């Protein structure tokens, strides 16, 4: 597909040329595709940009989910970096997103977060803050909300202000990562499929700004009630009562029914379906909540029909490495002598979850570093990520960094787990 009429292709230093299947005759692909408008400063360029994007997106007469935009993503490892767009505000980004989503039966739909602990504040329609964790905090490679049965098909990031140093968004092709791990550590892939991966997801009792989590358990994006008809989220004022806790538990069970882990455990038919689906929870002192999600670790890419690693292990591996908590009881003592639990990555189990061998995690980390492209931000940039094909991470930075996020689903596009029964 040619895009030369409106766009100019760039080859910045951070762009990789990757072979998805190593040691094959496959052509190397530019990852990510990096393009910029040929005349970004021309009069009415924003209108021209929106017309161009609308033409690439889903159309009313489409017979499948494969739009020109979708084909571009598949041809370039699942990521497109639009450089120096004539966009300067969250509202501009919102207008761009409306064009990007397209229309018709396969037009994108805004993703609705369920069971998420991450606080995201709305800035414009479909636009919200990215993770509010401090600039120094490491956020490792992950497929967006791989810990849940409901996750977006697309992640779209927009830069309003670039940092002075650092702050790159690092991306890794999940299909290439599967290929490398299948060759080097096939038992890791086998266990990711057959056992799945266990995640402990902490929820604060109420909203807490400036943290990696902090949404608050009663927020609509977590386990609170939906927003009211005026779009105002009243859930933050909900009190921690037994009845409200029962409502939260009901929503956890509903989330489990949307996919979860396994429902065919013949030796455990005495367990309720939500537990066979791999969900558990524990209320903490002060009203906080910890939910255990057990999820498949490999999914089939919906348009390429190839297996891809689909997990959120990197940050957990990093933290366990930093604090040396790979062995039970998985704790370390801080500067004040307090014992802190840092749970390392685990494979899922009905009776007991089991730690993933550190060597396998170290090997995955090695491949992620080899395959990664560290996308550098400039004001007006947009990074479009196919969440089924790409993991992303965030590096530390200095200065001001304003990168906003948007999340989307697409009808007819879902990455199903591989059935361990064959």
């Amino acid at each position: 597909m040619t895009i030369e009429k409106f766009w100019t292709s760039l080859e910045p230093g951070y762009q990789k040329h990757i072979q998805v299947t190593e040691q094959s005759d496959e052509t190397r692909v530019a990852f990510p595709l990096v393009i910029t408008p040929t005349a970004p400063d021309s009069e009415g360029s924003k209108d021209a940009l929106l017309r161009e994007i609308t033409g690439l997106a889903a159309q009313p007469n489409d017979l499948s989910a494969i739009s020109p935009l979708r084909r571009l993503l598949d041809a370039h490892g699942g990521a497109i970096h639009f450089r120096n767009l004539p966009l300067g505000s969250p509202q501009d980004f919102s207008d761009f997103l409306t064009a990007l989503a397209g229309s018709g039966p396969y037009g994108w739909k805004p993703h609705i977060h369920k069971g998420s602990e991450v606080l995201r504040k709305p800035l414009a329609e479909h636009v919200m803050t990215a993770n509010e964790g401090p600039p120094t905090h490491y956020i490792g490679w992950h497929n967006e909300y791989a810990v849940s049965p409901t996750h977006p098909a697309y992640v779209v990031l927009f830069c309003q202000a670039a940092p002075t140093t650092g702050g790159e968004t690092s991306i890794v092709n999940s299909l290439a990562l599967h290929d490398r791990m299948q060759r080097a550590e096939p038992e890791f892939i086998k266990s990711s499929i057959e056992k799945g991966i266990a995640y402990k997801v902490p929820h604060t009792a109420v909203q807490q700004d400036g943290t990696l989590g902090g949404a608050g358990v009663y927020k609509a994006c977590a386990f609170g009630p939906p927003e009211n008809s005026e779009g105002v989220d009243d859930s933050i004022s909900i009190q921690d009562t037994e009845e409200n806790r029962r409502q939260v538990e009901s929503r956890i069970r509903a989330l489990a029914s949307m996919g979860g882990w396994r429902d065919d455990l013949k030796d455990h038919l005495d367990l309720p379906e939500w537990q066979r689906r791999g969900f558990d929870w524990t209320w903490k002192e002060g009203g906080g909540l910890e939910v255990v999600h057990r999820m498949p670790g490999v999914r089939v890419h919906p348009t390429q029909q190839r297996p891809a690693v689909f997990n959120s292990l990197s940050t957990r591996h990093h933290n366990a490495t930093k604090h040396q908590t790979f062995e039970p009881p998985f704790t370390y003592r801080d500067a004040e002598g307090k014992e802190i639990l840092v749970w390392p990555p685990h494979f899922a189990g009905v009776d007991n979850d089991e730690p993933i061998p550190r060597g396998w995690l170290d090997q995955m980390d090695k491949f992620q570093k080899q395959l990664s492209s560290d996308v550098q931000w400039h004001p007006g940039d947009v990074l479009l990520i196919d969440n089924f094909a790409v993991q992303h991470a965030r590096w530390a930075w200095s200065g001001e960094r304003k990168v906003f996020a948007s999340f989307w689903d697409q009808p007819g596009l879902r990455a199903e787990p591989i059935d361990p029964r064959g």
Side-chain angles (χ1 to χ4, degrees):
M1 174 186 301
T2 179
I3 55 172
E4 294 174 357
K5 290 183 179 180
F6 187 88
W7 303 97
T8 298
S9 295
L10 304 177
E11 296 184 3
Y14 59 80
Q15 185 186 60
K16 291 283 183 73
H17 287 79
I18 63 169
Q19 193 173 38
V20 175
T21 304
E22 201 172 32
Q23 301 176 5
S24 72
D25 57 1
E26 288 183 4
T27 303
R28 291 181 178 272
V29 301
F31 177 73
L33 173 66
V34 185
I35 52 178
T36 190
T38 301
D41 297 324
S42 63
E43 186 177 351
S45 59
K46 177 183 171 183
D47 289 341
L49 169 68
L50 299 185
R51 286 194 299 272
E52 171 68 15
I53 291 298
T54 299
L56 295 175
Q59 303 296 317
N61 58 352
D62 283 352
L63 299 179
S64 77
I66 312 299
S67 66
L69 189 65
R70 178 70 256 175
R71 288 198 291 274
L72 280 174
L73 281 167
D74 285 349
H76 293 278
I80 303 174
H81 186 194
F82 298 94
R83 284 280 304 274
N84 300 319
L85 301 186
L87 308 175
S89 68
Q91 184 56 54
D92 287 342
F93 182 39
S94 177
D95 295 340
F96 179 84
L97 290 165
T98 299
L100 196 70
S103 59
Y106 298 101
W108 300 1
K109 308 297 180 185
H111 178 73
I112 298 174
H113 287 88
K114 298 178 181 178
S116 174
E117 82 280 18
V118 178
L119 174 61
R120 303 188 187 276
K121 297 174 182 175
L123 301 171
E125 186 175 21
H126 312 312
V127 180
M128 56 196 77
T129 54
N131 195 298
E132 290 198 352
T136 56
H137 197 97
Y138 172 81
I139 299 179
W141 293 285
H142 61 285
N143 302 92
E144 187 66 28
Y145 224 53
V147 305
S148 172
T150 172
H151 34 257
Y154 301 101
V155 177
V156 194
L157 303 174
F158 164 66
C159 178
Q160 184 180 37
T164 304
T165 62
E168 298 91 347
T169 293
S170 182
I171 55 176
V172 169
N173 182 273
S174 295
L175 289 80
L177 183 59
H178 178 278
D179 172 73
R180 306 310 191 264
M181 288 298 290
Q182 178 64 56
R183 293 172 185 276
E185 302 291 356
E187 287 301 312
F188 171 82
I189 295 296
K190 184 173 184 287
S191 294
S192 294
I193 295 170
E194 294 182 352
K195 298 177 182 178
I197 297 169
Y199 302 98
K200 289 186 177 182
V201 181
H203 295 264
T204 56
V206 297
Q207 180 175 310
Q208 293 182 7
D209 291 13
T211 68
L212 286 176
V217 68
Y218 294 110
K219 294 287 284 187
C221 64
F223 296 110
E227 292 179 346
N228 64 29
S229 59
E230 286 76 35
V232 177
D233 188 355
D234 297 323
S235 60
I236 192 170
S237 63
I238 289 180
Q239 301 299 309
D240 179 28
T241 66
E242 287 300 320
E243 175 56 29
N244 286 334
R245 288 190 178 197
R246 282 192 290 270
Q247 291 293 325
V248 166
E249 292 170 4
S250 174
R251 294 184 183 98
I252 297 173
R253 291 191 289 269
L255 181 62
S257 71
M258 297 178 67
W261 176 44
R262 304 276 295 277
D263 63 355
D264 64 331
L265 302 174
K266 296 181 175 58
D267 295 336
H268 297 273
L269 294 178
D270 56 314
L271 298 176
E273 181 184 0
W274 59 266
Q275 205 164 7
R276 294 201 304 275
R277 289 286 191 180
F279 279 72
D280 287 294
W281 61 85
T282 304
W283 289 98
K284 299 296 186 179
E285 184 178 354
L289 177 70
E290 182 179 80
V291 185
V292 178
H293 303 219
R294 296 179 179 89
M295 291 291 127
V298 176
R299 293 181 181 269
V300 178
H301 191 275
T303 59
Q304 300 185 55
Q305 294 301 305
R306 298 164 66 175
V309 167
F310 198 82
N311 67 34
S312 186
L313 295 178
S314 179
T315 300
R316 292 164 171 83
H317 170 236
H318 171 84
N319 290 339
T321 300
K322 177 180 178 180
H323 299 294
Q324 292 299 301
T325 60
F326 283 98
E327 300 295 333
F330 312 125
T331 60
Y332 78 99
R333 293 193 179 276
D334 65 12
E336 298 177 353
K338 183 179 179 182
E339 191 171 25
I340 307 294
L341 173 67
V342 178
W343 208 58
H346 276 62
F347 287 128
V350 178
D351 298 317
N352 293 291
D353 300 314
E354 59 182 89
I356 300 175
R358 180 177 179 177
W360 295 356
L361 296 166
D362 290 343
Q363 184 68 68
M364 185 172 68
D365 181 71
K366 173 185 172 182
F367 286 134
Q368 286 168 321
K369 290 173 179 173
Q370 290 175 354
L371 292 166
S372 64
S373 173
D374 293 346
V375 174
Q376 297 169 359
W377 288 109
H378 311 80
D381 285 6
V382 170
L383 178 62
L384 170 58
I385 295 172
D386 169 5
N387 191 41
F388 302 138
V390 174
Q391 295 189 331
H392 63 283
R394 186 199 75 182
W395 297 155
W397 75 90
S398 65
E400 183 181 41
R401 182 185 190 267
K402 291 184 178 179
V403 174
F404 306 136
S406 190
F407 307 91
W408 296 83
D409 300 324
Q410 183 174 9
L413 215 63
R414 178 178 169 83
E416 299 291 347
I418 295 175
D419 190 334
R421 296 167 294 187

